[in-house]
Amino acid sequence: MKYLNIILTACLFMLFACDFDDYNIDPTSLSEEQVTVNLILPKAQVQSAYNLNATAARYAGHWMQYFQGVEAQQNAITNYVVQDTDIDNPWSAQLYVGAMRDCITILNVAEGEANPSSEYAAVAKILLAQNLGFATQLWGDLPYSEAFQGTENLNPAFDTQEEIYATIQSLLAEAITGLQGETVGRTLGSDDLIYSGDTDAWVAAARSLSARYYLQTIKRNSGAAQLALNQLTAGALTSSADQPNFPFTEANNGANSLYLFELDRAATLEMGDYYVGTVLEDDPRKEFLVIEGDRNAFIGADLFWGRQNSPVPLISYSEQKFIEAEAILRVSAGNTAAASEALEEAILANMEVLGVGDSAAQAYATANSNLATSGNVFDQIITEKYKALYSQGMVEIWSDYRRTGFPSTLVPVTGATINIIPRRLLYPQNEKQANAASVAEAISRQGGDQLTDDLWVFAD
């Protein structure tokens, strides 16, 4: 724990040196020639975890109506008012100069001749795949194959979203192979803040992530559900205790980013009427997620996701079981028994993590997991998944909604600037200015980059 606090303090000192709400690790860091992989891995992990409920993820949280804005900026986001200038920091500092740049630096060192390390290279590929998955769900086409070359290429072309999803799967497959093969060079240790060097756990996490990203492509790949199931049966997570949680601390200089946002911008955001008043009504999880009568206060010691040290999983075991339930039915529509079992386990896993009592959890799960009598099995699965992924998987739920239209009871905000729930983020202004031709080509290829324009992976 002492080692963890030292690492987090060092990383987050750079965070607080910047705009408090940016939630990025300052990119002013050592060059590749000066770093060793064990020093940069914690920074890559901190930033990767921060991204999952920081700026861009909160946009998804607004639009999935987990949250609603109270003051001007937050109210604008709730009502689908977003400018390309609002997106600069998540794109650049949090991803391209942040987590993804750190992963590339680790790979350049770990796959080089001077200081090779098969384990660090593999974990960097997993983190890179997860960050690419996060980014492509927001923007679609992305710079990757020509990116991260510095002054050798200041105007990288954008890979198509189809290519990005293929890259994600390649990175995860290479990571699994690397971790299961002969170990070369430096081995992981306590500087791995997620698994403390447990390579088997990283393999399981990689398979779970692979299943997630396969399932997201079901509208473009008829075999995607089976590919997802193949990863899960090959050796994915086996319990919530196995999931890749990033361990934030009780100190403000090592705290969860959602906690820090509310600490800095108190009363500008509140829990959404739809999520709290409709979806969570009569749900035993409600007391662990929101303070009754005070929706502004979504942080606090009694709220599981509202603590300084609330963990953030790269993927949860609960999400994996929801993926399994959906994938089973997409492969075999009549197999409601197996899908219902996976759905029940998904609900119970989430409730166990939150701290819901066994009898209340089982009663709810039993009542809400029977798919044999469901009016729409996918609506039921995604709605239960929506309840469970608050805070930890808001971008993934936004993706589920865009690819399925579920939860079916979720509707656009009345009086908003557009009459549909946003389908994507705009490309950031800085990228449009610095890499104008490549951005223009990507926008043209995708048919636009406005909030109403569909991404390739979700389009009908």
Side-chain angles (χ1 to χ4, degrees), residues 48 73 100 136 143 154 164 174 178 183 193-195 205-206 260 262 306 312-313 316 318 321 376 406 424 441-442:
S48 297
Q73 182 186 25
M100 290 201 289
T136 197
L154 296 175
I164 293 294
E174 291 169 11
T183 301
L193 303 182
I194 294 176
Y195 280 134
L260 292 175
E262 178 66 2
V312 174
S316 67
S318 178
K321 297 304 289 188
N376 186 307
F406 303 133
R424 61 166 296 142
E441 180 182 2

Side-chain angles (χ1 to χ4, degrees), residues 201-258:
W202 276 114
V203 169
R207 293 198 185 282
S208 297
L209 288 167
S210 178
R212 171 201 281 172
Y213 297 120
Y214 273 130
L215 195 62
Q216 286 178 3
T217 66
I218 57 170
K219 297 183 84 169
R220 294 290 169 263
N221 179 2
S222 61
Q226 184 61 62
L227 290 170
L229 286 178
N230 292 346
Q231 289 295 332
L232 299 182
T233 57
L237 303 174
T238 59
S239 73
S240 297
D242 299 336
Q243 67 190 36
N245 286 333
F246 185 85
F248 290 103
T249 74
E250 293 182 355
N252 283 350
N253 64 357
N256 179 295
S257 60
L258 193 62

Side-chain angles (χ1 to χ4, degrees), residues 430-451:
N430 284 350
E431 188 70 11
K432 290 177 179 177
Q433 293 175 339
N435 193 14
S438 294
V439 174
E441 180 182 2
I443 291 174
S444 176
R445 183 169 59 225
Q446 295 174 95
D449 80 328
Q450 299 305 299
L451 299 183

Side-chain angles (χ1 to χ4, degrees), residues 256-297:
N256 179 295
S257 60
L258 193 62
Y259 174 91
L260 292 175
F261 174 84
E262 178 66 2
L263 187 67
D264 184 49
R265 304 263 184 112
T268 67
L269 197 63
E270 65 182 16
M271 300 287 284
D273 289 338
Y274 171 75
Y275 184 57
V276 175
T278 302
V279 175
L280 288 185
E281 196 64 25
D282 299 321
D283 190 303
R285 287 168 288 196
K286 190 173 183 178
E287 66 177 287
F288 298 92
L289 301 176
V290 62
I291 297 174
E292 193 69 41
D294 187 7
R295 293 186 190 170
N296 282 128

Side-chain angles (χ1 to χ4, degrees), residues 4 41-42 45 119-120 122-123 126-127 179 187-209 235-247 312-317 320:
L4 169 60
L41 179 62
Q45 293 182 341
E119 291 186 1
Y120 281 88
V123 171
I126 295 170
L127 294 173
L179 290 170
T187 57
L188 294 162
S190 57
D191 51 293
D192 170 12
L193 303 182
I194 294 176
Y195 280 134
S196 298
D198 186 338
T199 56
D200 289 339
W202 276 114
V203 169
R207 293 198 185 282
S208 297
L209 288 167
L237 303 174
T238 59
S239 73
S240 297
D242 299 336
Q243 67 190 36
N245 286 333
F246 185 85
V312 174
L314 303 183
I315 184 170
S316 67
Y317 177 65
Q320 177 186 299

Side-chain angles (χ1 to χ4, degrees), residues 334-352:
N335 197 0
T336 56
S340 296
E341 182 180 350
L343 177 58
E344 181 178 6
E345 291 180 26
I347 295 169
L348 289 173
N350 178 247
M351 291 198 175
E352 179 186 16

